[in-house]
Structures are given as structure tokens and as C-alpha cells.
Amino acid sequence: MPNIRARLLVVLVVLSGFLTLAGTSSATAATVPGSLWFDGSPLTVRNGRFVDGNGREVVLRGYNVSGETKLEENGGLPFASVADAQKSATALRALGGGNAVRFLLSWAHAEPARGQVDTAYLTAATDQMRAFLDAGIRVYPDFHQDLYSRYLFGSGSWYTGDGAPAWAVASGGYPQESCGICLFWGQNITQNKAVQQAQYDFWHNAHGLQDAFLSTAQQTMAFIRQHLSTDEFAGVVGFDPYNEPYAGTYDSGQNSRTWERDLLWPFYVAFRARMDAAGWQDKPAFVEPNLFWNSNISSQKQEGGLLDAGTLGPRYVFNTHFYDQKAISGILMWGKASDGQYAGDFAAIRDRASAAGTATVVSEFGHPLSGTVADKAPTVLKAMYQGLDTRLTGASWWSSPASSGPVLSGTQWQWDIYNGRHHELMNGNPGKVVTAGDAWNDEDLSAVRLDDTGTLALRQDARLLDRLYPSATAGTTVAFTYEDRSRDGSTTLTWNPVPSTLPNVGRLVGSGQYGLLVWRSGGGSAPTELHLPASFPTASTTVVSDLGTVYAPPSYTPAAPIAVAPEPGGTGSRRLLLTAPDSGVLHWALVTDGATAPSADLLKAARSELAAWAAAKVG
């Protein structure tokens, strides 16, 4: 549920010879290393990172698919058809650079009558999920809720919700919903008595609500497991049990931390047991803390973060959201975001996951793309992606790269191909047909839309969304940064310029985009992989590394330490492969689209500068 915390306060690159997943032969699998898409292994959690079958650290980047699930127009499904899902998946990979999606599901549609799971809904949802798996995109499903349920709201209400089915609401006998004086829908969380009481009942298992949900969740997971092939199921990373949990109201003497300890965590333990029973033993639960634990507004911030759950370990992933409440409020943040705006916020996420002994994912982040605060979106989103890439500011990255921290996984809210083209009867009211934006409580955050020709088009700068990032690191990531040169109107945003102490690197990069990865090798023959954005055509990409220097990298062969290969799934997107089959050795690679046919002398000089920098700053 995007930006809830704030509202509480007021092209396609065509590469010949690409392989489709279905047609990949065993010979090709040995020639072009993939991740799980070729060796059939799922991701696991190890040493606080996602790890593939080759032992490589994996970073998940992508989008939520999608807020359409919160609507009724397509029966609680992300898409109207499998064909739309396939079209969306191809664009998400090729235009948006994603390798993962948080795939929304609806409890109301999975269990429309108490105790009766709708297998037709689960079949349709699984078929749409398969479209992403077939495009080489990893998936983690999410039983989504906002304001508990749409059935709490009358046909004339200003607001709506999603999540629980009608029978769950009827069993509670809740009062007439009213938010009082509410300017924004999120205020219902703490001001609408019907919403508060319904949430309270769920966490206390009143009327057996939680038992029913857990039973449906188990049956849903079992169905997905049974209706995907072994290879397809390997692409399902885990399951997000409950979106943005909140107590509703606290018991006497209870606070946010004790609520997490006494009610939220036992629910996750119970959900984990249901995962095991459904055949998901080797996949983690993506567990979210109290939604206010990392609010960036002090008056809303609550103690939490699953502090009393102990070491979560590999069977759980610390899963959180981040929205800039101040920026969205329209009154608490003047001006735009800047370099390092969210360094502290994302450092807190890294630190909490590290203390919990597990991997982390920021499963929602974003900013409105219309309305009075939309002008902040280019800088806010750039700063959020910067926070995912590194815990440092751009101004400090070159001087202290060893403090960069792990690269975080994240899925932006959201990827809704029907943005601006909905036909949603709000709360079933034929007199309130919503077509604009995301068609849900005036939200408008989708990064994509269909243009007038029916072609999928980005609504944000492609240089911001389709990013260079280390999708699989053969060893341990030491530091990473990416200067995307994304734009705020006509202004190109450069927050991490190459320092003047590296003049030849600066000449090589020029005004272009660049990324720099530093890693320590972990042995094995599988290469390190970086997603190559469409803005990095192979013919004009330069790589300067301790492994060598190359302009226009060649197609992959086992003998090539620096090479390019298709991303799996046949979408036309590409990856850079860096092969260093040693162990414990520090490696680095600069990737840029800045220079045109750089001279051998310039490449040599840039490599020399970077080698000295790495030795001095990382060692």
C-alpha cells in the first residue's frame, strides 16, 4: 500500500541469437551461464544475502505487480488476461530492467466463501505468474491488504480498501465506517473505528479470522506448488504473508514493540509452518514489521522492526517498505531530494537486517507521479535507488567505498499497465466509475502505462528505472555505485561525479552514465553478472577492470573474462558477465557508456588509476 505513512499526516534492445527459456538446451546451459534459470536451483538465504545455486549473491530488483489486484474490474487479478501478463513481463524486463516482481494476490478472491478456496481464481493467478517466470523474472507472492477490506466501506464512501472477503467483515459486525475529518485515505488506519476494530480482530483471531486466512494461504501455496513445474517453482523466491501490518488498536499496556512480539511474530511463525506444510520448506517468508517502524516523521515513528524475534535466519527475510512521508505530505519537505537524502533511512534497514541475521528486501518504495507533489518524484526516486545501491552519499563514496554496504533488493510500487485506463466501480457503485491514475483512493504511482497505440511506455525517465546493478556476484560485494544521470525536467542529475584525482577515469566517463562494482571472489566458475540497461548498447559500452579493458564487449565464451550475453527469458535485455574463477581476490569493474571508441592509452591510464584507487581505498 503505497505512501500510507505520509498520508497519515496530511527500446527494447533486440539482440540476435537470444535464447528462449523453453528452448534452452543443456549444451547452451553450459556455454552461457545463467542463474537459477539454467541450473534449476532456487534462491536461498546465506550470510545475510540471497544466494543462487552457484553460490553467488543475488540482488532482486523490479516492481509490484500490481495495484490492479486491489480493484474489482479484473476479479482481483493483476491482469485481464495471460496475454496482458506476458506483455507486461516482457516490458518490465526490457524497459524497466527488472529481474523480480512482488506478485499481489487477493484473500477476498481466493476465499470468497468461508472455507471454500476458489480454484478458478488460483488457476488464473498462477497462469499470470507463470508469464513472469517464463520471462526469467523471479516472483514472490503477497497477500495484499489496505484498510483491511473494501467490504468495510459503503457505496457512497470517499474511500475504499482491499484484502479480506465480505464474509470476514460480516462476521465482525463492525460499525458504520467513518474517518471523520480525513484529507487522505491513509488516515483511516488510525481514525476509522471500523478499520481499527477489524484489524484488531484479525490479530486476535476473533471469529477464527486468522485461522481461516492461514488455511487459505496454505491451500494457495500448495496450489501454486502443484501447478508450476519444478523449474518454474524454482523461480518463486518466497512469500510475503501480510502487507503493512498494523495493530488497529493496542491492548491495555501494549505498545508497538510488544504487539510485534506477542501477536505479529507468532502469526509469522504460524505462517511459516503453513509454508512448510504446503511444500515451501526451502523458501523464506518475507516478513514485514509494524508499518510505522521506519517512518521518517518522528511523530509517526513507532518502536519495532521485529526487535524481539531474535535471529531470523535463512527461513525469514526482513521485508520493509519506505516512502518519504515528508515529501508526499506537501508541507514537511520544501524543495527536492538531494544526494544522500535517504542514506540514513536505508542504513537503518541494512543494520536491522544484519542484526536479525538475514537478507532484506524493500518490497515497496515510490512517489506520486501526479498531483501537487509530483515534481519531487525524479529526485525522490533517484535518492531511493541511491539508498538501495549504497549506504553512502555520492559525495563520500569514492573516498570510503569499503563502507558502501550490501546492495539491497527492492521492488518499486508499482507496475500497472492499465494506469489511466481503468473502469473501476468504486465500492461497487455504478455512479462512481474511476478511470484515472491507479483507480484506487486517488493513487497514481505506476511507472508504466499503455500509450494511445497500445504500446507499453515508461512514465518515468528510463535512465532512472532501467539501471545497471549487480544481479549476481560471484563472491562478496564490497562496494557498488551507479550514476544514472537521470533527469529532473531538463536538468541532468549528477550526484556522484568522478573525482578530479582520477582524471583519466573522468575523461573516459565524460557526461555518460557509469557504474563501479568492487567484489571479493568466492571461487567457482560462474561469472559475476550485471544487468545492462538498454541505454548501454553493447557496441558503445566500455568496461575497465582488473580483469582487462574492453570497448564493445564480445559475446560470451568460457575464455572471455569480460563479455555480454542475453538475459534469460527472451526479452532482448542483456547482462555483462565478469569471470574470475579465483577465491578471496579483490576485483573491480567500471562500466560506462560515456566514451566513443576510447583509445588504448586512455583505457590503460584509467585502469591504472582505478587499480591504485582500489588498493588505497579498499585494499
Side-chain angles (χ1 to χ4, degrees):
M1 175 172 50
N3 64 39
I4 178 174
R5 293 165 290 251
R7 293 172 177 261
L8 286 172
L9 278 183
V10 195
V11 295
L12 175 61
V13 177
V14 178
L15 185 66
S16 61
F18 64 76
L19 304 172
T20 62
L21 178 66
T24 302
S25 68
S26 59
T28 300
T31 302
V32 182
S35 49
L36 61 89
W37 307 107
F38 295 93
D39 67 15
S41 65
L43 296 188
T44 56
V45 175
R46 188 188 312 164
N47 298 323
R49 307 289 191 276
F50 291 109
V51 177
D52 69 11
N54 292 304
R56 299 178 298 177
E57 291 184 359
V58 169
V59 172
L60 305 174
R61 288 288 177 87
Y63 305 85
N64 282 259
V65 177
S66 73
E68 173 70 17
T69 301
K70 305 198 296 189
L71 308 181
E72 290 298 304
E73 61 184 2
N74 285 323
L77 291 166
F79 302 98
S81 65
V82 171
D84 277 1
Q86 292 168 334
K87 183 176 185 177
S88 180
T90 298
L92 188 144
R93 183 69 124 154
L95 299 179
N99 68 355
V101 295
R102 182 176 182 239
F103 191 95
L104 274 60
L105 297 172
S106 167
W107 178 20
H109 291 86
E111 190 186 8
R114 185 163 193 159
Q116 299 178 27
V117 171
D118 187 342
T119 57
Y121 174 77
L122 297 183
T123 297
T126 304
D127 288 344
Q128 292 183 11
M129 190 182 300
R130 184 180 291 110
F132 289 85
L133 296 167
D134 287 349
I137 296 170
R138 296 181 177 95
V139 171
Y140 60 104
D142 155 50
F143 262 124
H144 208 79
Q145 73 80 33
D146 299 286
L147 308 183
Y148 189 69
S149 173
R150 73 185 294 267
Y151 298 103
L152 286 170
F153 297 85
S155 62
S157 176
W158 288 5
Y159 303 106
T160 190
D162 69 282
W167 62 262
V169 171
S171 67
Y174 301 114
Q176 176 78 30
E177 68 85 15
S178 174
C179 193
I181 301 175
C182 287
L183 299 177
F184 305 108
W185 69 264
Q187 291 175 267
N188 285 274
I189 287 288
T190 55
Q191 292 181 218
N192 190 321
K193 295 300 183 184
V195 173
Q196 290 177 287
Q197 290 184 28
Q199 289 278 20
Y200 179 92
D201 280 357
F202 180 85
W203 297 115
H204 289 78
N205 198 27
H207 322 295
L209 290 170
Q210 195 174 118
D211 289 340
F213 175 83
L214 290 169
S215 176
T216 296
Q218 179 178 336
Q219 293 178 73
T220 298
M221 289 184 283
F223 187 96
I224 292 170
R225 175 68 185 92
Q226 293 161 8
H227 290 81
L228 293 176
S229 70
T230 299
D231 288 344
E232 289 166 344
F233 190 58
V236 179
V237 183
F239 206 109
D240 184 343
Y242 197 92
N243 179 68
E244 294 186 345
Y246 183 62
T249 58
Y250 294 121
D251 290 319
S252 177
Q254 190 179 60
N255 58 31
S256 57
R257 179 168 179 171
T258 57
W259 174 79
E260 282 192 350
R261 182 194 66 197
D262 298 338
L263 291 171
L264 182 61
W265 183 249
F267 166 74
Y268 287 146
V269 171
F271 193 95
R272 173 72 266 178
R274 299 296 184 133
M275 291 179 70
D276 295 346
W280 292 53
Q281 300 94 325
D282 298 328
K283 300 183 186 296
F286 285 52
V287 293
E288 301 185 34
N290 168 14
L291 71 93
F292 295 115
W293 84 277
N294 63 341
S295 168
N296 73 336
I297 296 178
S298 58
S299 63
Q300 296 296 327
K301 190 175 181 68
Q302 298 182 11
E303 186 179 24
L306 304 177
L307 293 171
D308 298 301
T311 300
L312 301 187
R315 285 165 56 79
Y316 298 92
V317 166
F318 186 74
N319 170 16
T320 190
H321 298 173
F322 182 77
Y323 293 94
D324 185 347
Q325 306 167 45
K326 296 179 181 179
I328 297 171
S329 72
I331 60 174
L332 297 177
M333 172 184 158
W334 298 105
K336 309 292 183 71
S338 58
D339 176 28
Q341 185 85 18
Y342 308 120
D345 298 294
F346 282 84
I349 294 170
R350 287 178 171 86
D351 292 344
R352 183 66 204 107
S354 177
T358 191
T360 189
V361 61
V362 183
S363 60
E364 283 190 30
F365 61 96
H367 189 83
L369 299 182
S370 64
T372 58
V373 299
D375 65 311
K376 300 180 190 295
T379 57
V380 166
L381 266 294
K382 180 180 174 74
M384 288 179 177
Y385 274 110
Q386 181 189 48
L388 290 172
D389 289 343
T390 174
R391 68 188 297 152
L392 300 173
T393 65
S396 63
W397 191 90
W398 285 94
S399 61
S400 54
S403 301
S404 187
V407 182
L408 298 184
S409 296
T411 47
Q412 181 177 333
W413 186 275
Q414 64 161 325
W415 191 268
D416 174 17
I417 67 172
Y418 309 114
N419 176 271
R421 296 175 179 271
H422 292 282
H423 189 83
E424 174 72 2
L425 279 62
M426 185 174 176
N427 297 318
N429 186 343
K432 298 181 73 173
V433 179
V434 185
T435 61
D438 300 334
W440 195 87
N441 286 344
D442 296 324
E443 292 287 336
D444 186 13
L445 286 90
S446 178
V448 70
R449 58 181 284 274
L450 288 167
D451 66 19
D452 291 340
T453 70
T455 302
L456 282 170
L458 296 178
R459 300 178 66 217
Q460 296 171 272
D461 189 349
R463 288 181 288 189
L464 172 70
L465 299 182
D466 187 13
R467 306 178 63 79
L468 186 83
Y469 62 91
S471 53
T473 301
T476 303
T477 301
V478 176
F480 176 71
T481 190
Y482 180 51
E483 180 49 78
D484 55 43
R485 313 275 192 184
S486 58
R487 294 157 291 192
D488 179 11
S490 61
T491 301
T492 297
L493 302 172
T494 300
W495 292 354
N496 191 358
V498 176
S500 59
T501 52
L502 301 171
N504 290 295
V505 176
R507 286 177 55 205
L508 184 67
V509 169
S511 61
Q513 303 170 103
Y514 79 86
L516 179 53
L517 174 68
V518 182
W519 77 101
R520 197 169 297 278
S521 59
S525 59
T528 289
E529 301 183 12
L530 293 95
H531 169 71
L532 277 178
S535 58
F536 280 70
T538 303
S540 58
T541 294
T542 300
V543 182
V544 177
S545 170
D546 68 295
L547 303 176
T549 62
V550 61
Y551 176 70
S555 296
Y556 177 80
T557 66
I562 302 172
V564 169
E567 295 274 22
T571 61
S573 55
R574 297 151 302 118
R575 51 190 164 155
L576 178 70
L577 306 182
L578 305 171
T579 303
D582 44 33
S583 182
V585 177
L586 189 73
H587 295 287
W588 46 269
L590 174 82
V591 186
T592 182
D593 66 349
T596 301
S599 68
D601 287 344
L602 179 57
L603 293 175
K604 181 179 178 181
R607 186 184 185 193
S608 178
E609 287 179 354
L610 286 169
W613 168 83
K617 299 298 184 180
V618 186

